[in-house]
Amino acid sequence: MSTPTQELAAAGVSIWLDDLSRGRIDSGNLAQLIQTRDISGVTTNPSIFQAAIGNTEDDSYDAPLAALAARGVSADEAIFEITTTDVRDAADIFRPVYDATGGVDGRVSIEVSPDLAHDTDGTIAEAQQLWAKVDRPNALIKIPATKAGLPAITATIAAGISVNVTLIFSLERYDAVIDAYLSGLEQAKENGHDLSGIHSVASFFVSRVDTEVDKRLNAIGTDAAAALRSKAGLANARLAYELFEKRFGEDRARQLTAAGANVQRPLWASTGVKDPALPDTLYVTELVAPGTVNTMPEKTLQATFDHGVITGDTITGQYADAHRVFDELASVGVDVADVTQLLEDEGVEKFIASWQDLKSTVSAALAAAPENAR
């Protein structure tokens, strides 16, 4: 009998783990999850590295930090070294998956500094630095879909670098992200790059939409509002997939794919359920469609493996209902555009806060490194 994660992969969904640590790499846990849970990639962010390096029960960063302290590096330099090393080593573990899928999967993502979220030139420069430092073809450089991030996405793709566009909440911004990707491919073609080697995913956040919309629905307090609870996140993601099908079916995209380019796959992020009243696999089993990625925290991955019910495509037949949900949200007074802008702003702020926490943790660790290691 097949497992739910095998069934999910067979339905065309790439399962990526939304977590990484030196402990996972060194213990063999990451390799084991490839074999037993069908994961085919990893995503990281500042919060994930903060949790990993700040974990007092994991001593796997002690030696690297001591060695860096001996070199007298700054906290920023130490973070750059540690995170790129983790991503490089994870990419090596996933290299067989990358080879077996022709470069589609086996991907490991690393994010530019959140401090650069509104700095186009700084983002472009750091994306190039990260790509060169990791030095693995199966890396993805994560760039946020802020207004300043859009031209950085184009420039990074144009340089032949594969990109994970993150922090997408609205359909309007996703449309702009697709434009940024296609523009990057057009420039990459002019620059002489092999388009087949450039890959990208567009990370559309799901559960955070429900959290904010449901808070507003509860405040409205009507029966009509209550009936819409926990429906916005799925509707938003399904309409994103509808937009994906439309945009990559147009002549502009088709001309690029005919020249060897890859489509930019939708990736469902923030798929851990925040409301305990909801099924813990909701944002997995209800977002199944070919050519998508679902990046899951381990808790969601294990829940899916244990009791996820995969019933095939749960997106493309739901477009009319998703549009209806959006119409009804507007009719009860929920401003979805305001919701998604708030979530983008909060998302950047949260990553900046995690980044500052990470710098503080690393600074303290460098200062506390044994004198004899220096």
Side-chain angles (χ1 to χ4, degrees), residues 42 53 85 93 107 131 250 339 347:
V42 157
I53 298 172
T85 297
I93 293 170
R107 295 278 169 176
W131 182 256
E250 293 171 349
V339 168

Side-chain angles (χ1 to χ4, degrees), residues 14 16 97-109 131 136-143 153-154 156-165 180-182 184-185 188 193-202 248 260-267 291 293:
S14 296
W16 291 3
V97 178
Y98 169 85
D99 290 337
T101 60
V104 173
D105 281 317
R107 295 278 169 176
V108 184
S109 297
W131 182 256
R136 294 295 184 272
N138 51 329
L140 286 173
I141 307 302
K142 288 180 78 174
I143 298 175
I153 292 160
T154 294
T156 304
I157 292 291
I161 297 172
S162 295
V163 173
N164 175 343
V165 182
Y181 175 62
L182 295 176
L185 288 176
H193 289 290
D194 177 4
L195 298 186
S196 67
I198 304 171
H199 287 257
S200 184
V201 293
F248 284 95
N262 301 287
V263 299
Q264 181 186 53
R265 291 186 294 166
L267 178 151
V293 182

